[in-house]
Amino acid sequence: MLIRRYAVDEVNAAELLAWLKPYEDYVYRQVGDGNFEGKHSGLKKMISANGVHSFGDDLVEKMVLLIKEELHHFQQVLEIMQSRGIAYANVSAGRYARGMRHVRTYEPQALIDKLICGAYIEARSCERFARIAPYLDNELQKFYISLLRSEARHFEDYLALARQVANEDISARVYYFGEVEAALISTPDTDFKFHSGNPIEEAATAMS
Ligand SMILES: [Fe+2]
């Protein structure tokens, strides 16, 4: 979404969507067998920035790499699920990402805020993978640690881009979203998910 909104022309945006289609088909339309071998290579060569913003090239480069890594993780998760006989099913979104949307409505502040939110989501994933890994079996432990290594890079990428776009100190805004995010992960939450808040009793019981 960031690439399409801020950094490429219509042709490149269409390329990007076409490249993602097999994944969307699988997730939203139950089309395909979940094998995306070879589907996440070559994108970097296909997508180029439109030259409108000075940060466009960096945004495309960092986000394409990030998409590729996330999709590779998705494939890895599917493989582990398949090997354990767990069927793929869609899970409804929790309040977390929605709750982070205190994004300003004018540019470039809107983009800066979206990037800061992205950084928090990645950093929190990194923390939660680290906290859960010791309680998992060997295979999952190794996998989660590999995931948290890339999440650590992803959150740095988002923050670096936010600073680059702002071209001024963004610490007040980072602090602001830190407060919003802290409330989302530490207050009672009826849902129980990777990024949810404190599970209330019924939610935790329903999961077990
Ligand atoms: Fe990530």
Side-chain angles (χ1 to χ4, degrees), residues 12 45 68 94 135 156 162 173:
N12 280 269
K45 275 177 262 145
K68 284 169 75 168
Y135 300 96
E156 296 283 6
R173 213 54 199 159

Side-chain angles (χ1 to χ4, degrees), residues 6-199:
Y6 294 100
V8 299
D9 62 19
E10 273 176 39
V11 175
N12 280 269
E15 287 271 13
L16 184 62
L17 286 182
W19 182 74
L20 288 167
K21 194 164 182 301
Y23 298 89
E24 291 190 333
D25 281 346
Y26 184 80
V27 170
Y28 300 115
R29 294 166 206 106
Q30 288 76 52
V31 173
D33 60 2
N35 182 359
F36 306 105
E37 206 63 60
K39 296 234 165 54
H40 42 251
S41 53
L43 188 74
K44 205 169 159 188
K45 275 177 262 145
M46 281 154 49
I47 305 292
S48 53
N50 56 13
V52 171
H53 299 294
S54 58
F55 55 79
D57 284 335
D58 287 334
L59 189 135
V60 169
E61 187 171 328
K62 286 196 166 85
M63 290 295 128
V64 165
L65 197 65
L66 188 144
I67 298 169
K68 284 169 75 168
E69 283 193 340
E70 301 288 10
L71 291 178
H72 179 59
H73 295 161
F74 179 70
Q75 173 84 69
Q76 286 176 301
V77 170
L78 280 182
E79 280 166 13
I80 292 173
M81 287 173 71
Q82 278 162 4
S83 76
R84 295 176 182 226
I86 302 167
Y88 180 83
N90 283 315
V91 176
S92 63
R95 69 180 187 183
Y96 181 83
R98 205 175 349 112
M100 290 289 281
R101 280 192 207 142
H102 291 250
V103 170
R104 289 169 290 185
T105 53
Y106 42 94
E107 301 293 356
Q109 284 78 5
L111 174 57
I112 295 163
D113 286 357
K114 287 174 202 168
L115 291 166
I116 294 171
C117 288
Y120 271 106
I121 294 169
E122 300 281 359
R124 185 62 66 191
S125 305
C126 180
E127 182 238 22
R128 295 214 156 169
F129 283 129
R131 295 299 287 269
I132 204 171
Y135 300 96
L136 303 172
D137 62 62
N138 218 6
E139 183 194 26
L140 286 185
Q141 205 171 107
K142 276 200 199 121
F143 179 54
Y144 274 42
I145 288 166
S146 77
L147 292 183
L148 81 87
R149 292 208 178 102
S150 43
E151 302 303 25
R153 257 182 295 113
H154 294 170
F155 102 77
E156 296 283 6
D157 283 344
Y158 274 109
L159 266 188
L161 278 171
R163 292 198 183 99
Q164 187 181 351
V165 173
N167 204 19
E168 61 182 17
D169 181 32
I170 56 167
S171 50
R173 213 54 199 159
V174 172
Y175 180 83
Y176 169 76
F177 279 103
E179 298 277 286
V180 172
E181 204 268 352
L184 286 165
I185 57 124
S186 60
T187 54
D189 194 344
T190 52
D191 217 359
F192 184 47
K193 290 196 169 79
F194 197 64
H195 283 95
S196 55
N198 278 344

